[in-house]
Amino acid sequence: MKKISSLFAFVIMAVFSLVACSNNQSNNPSIDSNSIHESNVVVENDTSDKDFGGRTLNVVATSDSYVPLFDKFTEKTGAKVEFLSMSSGEVLSRMKAEGKPSADLWFGGGLDAFMQAKEDGLLEQYQSKMTEKVDEKYKDKDGYYISKGLTVVGFLVNTELISEKNLNMPDTWKDLADPVFEHEIIMSNPQISGTNYAALKGILDLYGEEEGWKLFEDINKNIDFYSKRGKDPQEKVAAGEFAIGIIPADKKAADVAKENNLTVVYPEDGIPWVPEGVACFKGSENVDIAKAFIDFMLTKEAQEMIAEIDGKDSAQIIVDGVKGYQLGLDSDRLIDQDLSTFGSDRDKVLEKFENIAQGKADQ
């Protein structure tokens, strides 16, 4: 069993060749949030000869925490960066209505939305020598989007509560189906939470449709309600309201674990994951700058910045030579997921989830 009692970090995967993680460590690893992996591989910076002075890159991003990354791009290329204060959904709806893009670059967001945008013909195809180095798992085969990183799913466990109730530490998804955990598990609604949709889809890909749904039905029996807020599992486990939360396993979760004597667990039978997409909007005024940014994003320097900003645990798996957090993520346990059905099966999967949840998701 691999548990993480302290910081676990964030994962960014915009992957060149998938590298076996150098932290194939023994059980109960001691995790230090400042520990990092170093390699001698150096990635070429393809933006060194670009000059976009006087022009502006318009970006739809999931968070303003990435401003330092875009500032570095400005420093290297002269391009100013403006962030649009609208959701990806709003941008896509406006593109459909107006017939032209409101932004040049789409940075971060759920993979299903990128898949739909590709189907709708809203994305620019781009395959450079930088994107060619990214593993096929983490990019669109036709070159319409690429991953900036991964979100992975794990468990947050209230160690004290587990001990008080004489329960075993859960190591696998199958452990969560044990009736001893009735009323002890909290999960955000997969209809709202992209992370928990990824968890549900990952279970189905791991065990197959029939066995996967049966397993989830048993897990559902131990869940009193599905929260509307993505933060609820983490906060309520920390408060002692539940013993186990299904969470995005990142640095925030690890910080909460350290502060509250909790444990972050990567499930041994398989770790669900989902890429966080990046794409250029088709026909945008500055699509050439957007393409240059993607090349910049895939350099060692930018990947290390993203690893620091996101605080996830996959940079060292994704890109050769990148310094990343070493908090116990074993790339060999990432589920062999069928991403081609991640978006196309979403409605069907969530409809069946709703039938199984039987009103629990309304809370």
Side-chain angles (χ1 to χ4, degrees):
M1 177 185 73
K2 289 204 178 183
K3 304 174 200 157
I4 306 161
S5 302
S6 64
L7 269 224
F8 152 55
F10 168 65
V11 190
I12 122 158
M13 284 193 177
V15 208
F16 296 111
S17 47
L18 185 62
V19 187
C21 186
S22 63
N23 58 325
N24 288 335
Q25 42 199 338
S26 59
N27 291 344
N28 302 315
S30 175
I31 304 303
D32 177 0
S33 65
N34 294 317
S35 65
I36 55 178
H37 167 67
E38 297 189 29
S39 169
N40 294 323
V41 180
V42 177
V43 180
E44 179 184 355
N45 186 338
D46 270 8
T47 58
S48 58
D49 60 346
K50 304 293 184 183
D51 184 359
F52 299 116
R55 298 175 62 190
T56 299
L57 176 69
N58 294 296
V59 180
V60 178
T62 53
S63 170
D64 60 6
S65 63
Y66 297 105
V67 168
L69 176 70
F70 285 92
D71 284 347
K72 179 61 68 173
F73 178 69
T74 297
E75 178 184 316
K76 290 182 175 297
T77 66
K80 295 181 180 179
V81 177
E82 296 288 342
F83 294 92
L84 274 67
S85 57
M86 64 178 72
S87 69
S88 298
E90 289 175 314
V91 173
L92 296 178
S93 296
R94 181 177 293 188
M95 284 181 67
K96 290 180 183 179
E98 298 178 355
K100 61 181 181 180
S102 301
D104 307 300
L105 181 75
W106 188 3
F107 186 80
L111 190 67
D112 53 324
F114 283 82
M115 290 178 167
Q116 187 60 54
K118 175 189 173 182
E119 290 294 317
D120 292 340
L122 303 177
L123 303 182
E124 181 83 11
Q125 193 175 29
Y126 182 53
Q127 292 175 314
S128 72
K129 64 180 180 180
M130 297 295 285
T131 59
E132 286 173 359
K133 298 177 182 179
V134 177
D135 191 283
E136 296 295 331
K137 295 187 183 75
Y138 309 110
K139 63 182 180 183
D140 174 54
K141 62 182 179 63
D142 299 316
Y144 285 97
Y145 52 82
I146 195 164
S147 171
K148 80 170 183 64
L150 302 183
T151 294
V152 300
V153 186
F155 314 147
L156 184 65
V157 182
N158 189 308
T159 313
E160 185 176 346
L161 202 56
I162 286 284
S163 177
E164 287 177 1
K165 297 187 176 186
N166 198 29
L167 301 170
N168 292 324
M169 181 72 70
D171 293 332
T172 67
W173 292 102
K174 287 188 173 182
D175 286 345
L176 299 190
D178 191 323
V180 299
F181 291 119
E182 186 177 8
H183 310 303
E184 299 292 351
I185 301 173
I186 181 170
M187 176 179 182
S188 295
N189 186 347
Q191 296 170 310
I192 300 171
S193 166
T195 297
N196 283 287
Y197 169 66
L200 179 55
K201 184 65 167 61
I203 290 172
L204 299 177
D205 285 343
L206 177 62
Y207 286 106
E209 288 278 324
E210 184 176 352
E211 184 179 354
W213 278 120
K214 178 61 173 66
L215 174 58
F216 183 74
E217 287 175 0
D218 291 337
I219 294 174
N220 173 72
K221 295 174 184 177
N222 294 335
I223 297 174
D224 288 343
F225 68 93
Y226 294 89
S227 66
K228 292 182 179 179
R229 295 195 321 145
K231 293 181 180 179
D232 280 345
Q234 181 172 294
E235 293 179 354
K236 291 183 180 295
V237 169
E241 296 180 41
F242 292 89
I244 303 164
I246 298 173
I247 60 159
D250 57 19
K251 184 177 183 295
K252 292 178 182 177
D255 286 344
V256 169
K258 183 177 182 180
E259 294 165 3
N260 296 277
N261 190 30
L262 311 176
T263 300
V264 177
V265 177
Y266 292 101
E268 288 186 353
D269 46 349
I271 303 170
W273 56 276
V274 59
E276 299 156 7
V278 177
C280 306
F281 288 113
K282 186 176 182 179
S284 73
E285 182 178 354
N286 301 297
V287 69
D288 56 333
I289 308 180
K291 291 177 179 179
F293 177 82
I294 289 177
D295 285 343
F296 164 72
M297 181 190 78
L298 296 176
T299 63
K300 177 177 181 289
E301 177 183 24
Q303 286 293 319
E304 289 177 358
M305 290 186 71
I306 296 173
E308 181 65 28
I309 293 168
D310 284 340
K312 294 186 180 179
D313 194 24
S314 61
Q316 63 271 15
I317 298 173
I318 300 163
V319 179
D320 286 352
V322 171
K323 299 176 183 177
Y325 291 95
Q326 292 284 300
L327 300 167
L329 177 64
D330 184 350
S331 63
D332 290 340
R333 282 196 273 133
L334 293 175
I335 294 171
D336 185 13
Q337 295 178 177
D338 184 1
L339 293 183
S340 68
T341 61
F342 193 89
S344 61
D345 284 2
R346 189 175 189 274
D347 290 344
K348 180 181 71 174
V349 169
L350 293 180
E351 181 179 358
K352 185 154 187 175
F353 159 78
E354 190 170 11
N355 291 334
I356 293 172
Q358 295 180 352
K360 294 181 181 181
D362 294 333
Q363 309 212 15

